[in-house]
Amino acid sequence: MTTVLQLYQNQVKNQDEVTILGWVRSNRSSGKLGFLVVNDGTVFDNVQIVYKAEQLPNFLEISSLRISSAIKVVGKFCLTPSAKQTFEIQSTMIEILDQASEDYPLQKKEHSYEYLREIAHLRAKTNTFNAIFRIRSSSAFAIHQFFNKNNFIYVHPPIITGNDAEGAGESFVVTTRTDNNYAEDFFGKKASLTVSGQLHTEGFAQAFRQVYTFGPTFRAENSNTTRHAAEFWMIEPEVAFIDLSENMTLIETMIKHIINYLFANNRHELRFLNNNVDDKLLARLQNVIDEEFVRLSYTTAIEILQKAVANGQQFENPNIFWGMELQTEHERYLCEQETKKPTFLFDYPKEIKAFYMKAQDDNKTVAACDLLVPGIGELVGGGVRENDYDKIVNRCHELKIPVADLQWYLDLRKYGYYKSSGFGLGFERFVMYVTGATNIRDVIPFPRTPRNLLF
Ligand code: 4AD
Ligand code: MG
């Protein structure tokens, strides 16, 4: 058995006999000659199979093979240096393993992304989704590779938790009951799906210094946007002894590593997406590798936005003031119009950030950073953690966060917690960024969003 990947990797010699298993992408024939384009799943690119009536007793049957049918091909591998594709297979035998039925929904015409979401179980068979999900897989590998190379320990924090890490009350309850009597429930208390692995991971950073998680995260935010999913994957590193500036450097280095990996390993997929989905993709990614990310304080960002409004920039929310929560339109203005690069904002007002952010001497800001990128807005959120036990307990009281379930987390501060910083990278937003996809529903295999639980 030969894979199409082996053909592209020059592992097969001209005129060698090969056997291929795969699915028909297209089929055309005229008279006594036919061409099948076949994808076998092992590589993004297809292989062309030539078939002739003089060779195949089942020529007529093969001529009527439908798209997505599974076949076995035996034939001769032929280099075709002058043709569009650099090789083809001259078949001597084609066996139909499964003829696809006539109602296969992905016939050769273009389909809308909306329609393809309704057939998420089939859409990976299209070039676009094949490219996106290959890049998703490569990105995940590159992330693990980056942390492994840099001596980080991979931690698996729990998915069922007893606290809402971000304090935003956006968690899904986990229960075996039909009433709300959590005291009698499975855990004897209210449990929910994790909204972030950070709190548990902080504990591990105090033992291993450099750790990260990469796992599913759940948020019951009822925000039906192109960038929010109820179930998404997050990468959360946590590092003891580093400050905000080093944290931003870590974010930048990691992102550049992943994109370099994609350039080295997924050129064909990226080129396809650049030609068919977003014609600025390759230039944008090259720019990310080549340029240093910009760093702006939140205060400077507010001044820039105020100036922009004064100069006639139209925002849906034009009321810009220090202390406000920036909307996506503001974040996108900053990185798309002002800096035209990935841009960190740092030193946010404490009121708009989570309870665990480290308070600064001005008593107004916390050592937090977000990374904004063109086309997406917020890609990463992170910062330095409050290491002072009394301060973090007071902050919980100010925000009326019940400390009982968090006592273990607060207690970490008592045992050598000198400094710790980390961040969360939304994996789907990253995959959008590196594929040019404009909707989060198109970069996760089976998306979960409000009022949408298909498959
Ligand atoms: O900014 P967030 O809420 O930060 C945290 O969860 C911290 N605990 C991270 C840390 O410091 N360890 O979320 C981090 C990132 C966001 O920047 C965004 O990219 C992504 O997670 N994200 C979502 N992605 C898809 N759907 C949603 N509903 C998301 N909510 C956040
Ligand atoms: Mg955030």
Side-chain angles (χ1 to χ4, degrees), residues 66-113:
R66 290 187 284 266
I67 296 178
S68 198
S69 296
I71 56 172
K72 176 177 176 181
V73 177
V74 180
K76 211 188 278 176
F77 175 71
C78 300
L79 293 174
T80 54
S82 54
K84 194 172 117 217
Q85 68 283 348
T86 54
F87 57 77
E88 63 188 18
I89 294 172
Q90 295 279 349
S91 63
T92 50
M93 192 284 287
I94 300 180
E95 184 186 340
I96 301 176
L97 302 175
D98 186 52
Q99 167 80 291
S101 76
E102 275 159 18
D103 61 357
Y104 180 62
L106 291 166
Q107 301 300 335
K108 275 239 90 170
K109 64 184 163 81
E110 292 269 315
H111 299 283
S112 71
Y113 287 103

Side-chain angles (χ1 to χ4, degrees), residues 170-238:
E170 287 163 342
S171 48
F172 288 99
V173 175
V174 177
T175 183
T176 58
R177 300 185 66 88
T178 52
D179 55 22
N180 289 342
N181 189 355
Y182 301 124
E184 298 296 319
D185 205 346
F186 189 91
F187 297 106
K189 63 197 262 192
K190 189 170 173 180
S192 46
L193 293 176
T194 185
V195 297
S196 161
Q198 177 194 326
L199 304 194
H200 300 89
T201 307
E202 271 185 52
F204 268 62
Q206 291 302 308
F208 295 99
R209 185 157 173 163
Q210 304 196 110
V211 301
Y212 75 106
T213 75
F214 187 166
T217 311
F218 307 87
R219 292 195 188 174
E221 287 168 279
N222 205 352
S223 33
N224 225 329
T225 77
T226 55
R227 308 170 315 123
H228 288 87
E231 178 178 310
F232 62 101
W233 286 61
M234 190 154 47
I235 294 96
E236 292 185 279
E238 188 70 29

Side-chain angles (χ1 to χ4, degrees), residues 9-222:
Q9 288 177 335
N10 302 319
Q11 291 184 35
V12 177
K13 286 203 293 293
N14 195 21
Q15 305 296 312
D16 275 1
E17 188 184 89
V18 293
T19 302
I20 300 275
L21 295 176
W23 296 277
V24 175
R25 281 286 179 88
S26 73
N27 186 9
R28 66 194 159 88
S29 64
S30 59
K32 299 187 172 323
L33 178 67
F35 300 92
L36 288 165
V37 173
V38 169
N39 190 285
D40 81 340
T42 60
V43 62
F44 176 68
D45 304 275
N46 304 316
V47 61
Q48 171 161 282
I49 315 284
V50 182
Y51 60 97
K52 294 178 177 151
E54 66 196 51
Q55 288 273 357
L56 304 186
N58 59 347
F59 179 84
L60 279 180
E61 254 187 297
I62 301 302
S63 307
S64 57
L65 257 179
R66 290 187 284 266
I67 296 178
S68 198
S69 296
I71 56 172
K72 176 177 176 181
V73 177
V74 180
K76 211 188 278 176
F77 175 71
C78 300
L79 293 174
T80 54
S82 54
K84 194 172 117 217
Q85 68 283 348
T86 54
F87 57 77
E88 63 188 18
I89 294 172
Q90 295 279 349
S91 63
T92 50
M93 192 284 287
I94 300 180
E95 184 186 340
I96 301 176
L97 302 175
D98 186 52
Q99 167 80 291
S101 76
E102 275 159 18
D103 61 357
Y104 180 62
L106 291 166
Q107 301 300 335
K108 275 239 90 170
K109 64 184 163 81
E110 292 269 315
H111 299 283
S112 71
Y113 287 103
E114 288 77 10
Y115 172 66
L116 290 167
R117 274 171 222 144
E118 290 168 18
I119 51 166
H121 58 305
L122 295 173
R123 65 180 177 170
K125 287 169 171 275
T126 65
N127 283 324
T128 300
F129 285 93
N130 208 278
I132 288 174
F133 289 117
R134 281 185 181 283
I135 288 176
R136 183 179 168 112
S137 169
S138 285
S139 301
F141 177 78
I143 287 165
H144 285 300
Q145 184 192 54
F146 173 80
F147 287 116
N148 185 265
K149 272 189 178 162
N150 287 290
N151 195 34
F152 281 64
I153 291 290
Y154 177 28
V155 191
H156 301 97
I159 289 174
I160 301 175
T161 73
N163 58 263
D164 165 7
E166 299 299 302
E170 287 163 342
S171 48
F172 288 99
V173 175
V174 177
T175 183
T176 58
R177 300 185 66 88
T178 52
D179 55 22
N180 289 342
N181 189 355
Y182 301 124
E184 298 296 319
D185 205 346
F186 189 91
F187 297 106
K189 63 197 262 192
K190 189 170 173 180
S192 46
L193 293 176
T194 185
V195 297
S196 161
Q198 177 194 326
L199 304 194
H200 300 89
T201 307
E202 271 185 52
F204 268 62
Q206 291 302 308
F208 295 99
R209 185 157 173 163
Q210 304 196 110
V211 301
Y212 75 106
T213 75
F214 187 166
T217 311
F218 307 87
R219 292 195 188 174
E221 287 168 279
N222 205 352

Side-chain angles (χ1 to χ4, degrees), residues 9 49 78 89 116 172 198 201 227 251 275 280 291 341 346 354 362 378 418 424 433:
Q9 288 177 335
I49 315 284
C78 300
I89 294 172
L116 290 167
F172 288 99
Q198 177 194 326
T201 307
R227 308 170 315 123
I251 296 169
N275 291 340
K280 304 204 173 51
E291 303 251 9
K341 285 186 200 125
F346 61 92
D362 61 11
E378 179 189 338
Y418 169 67
Y433 189 52

Side-chain angles (χ1 to χ4, degrees), residues 166 219 325 331 353 369-370 378 380-382 424 429:
E166 299 299 302
R219 292 195 188 174
E325 189 127 29
E331 297 179 331
K353 287 290 180 190
C369 63
D370 277 8
E378 179 189 338
V380 177
R429 290 195 191 171

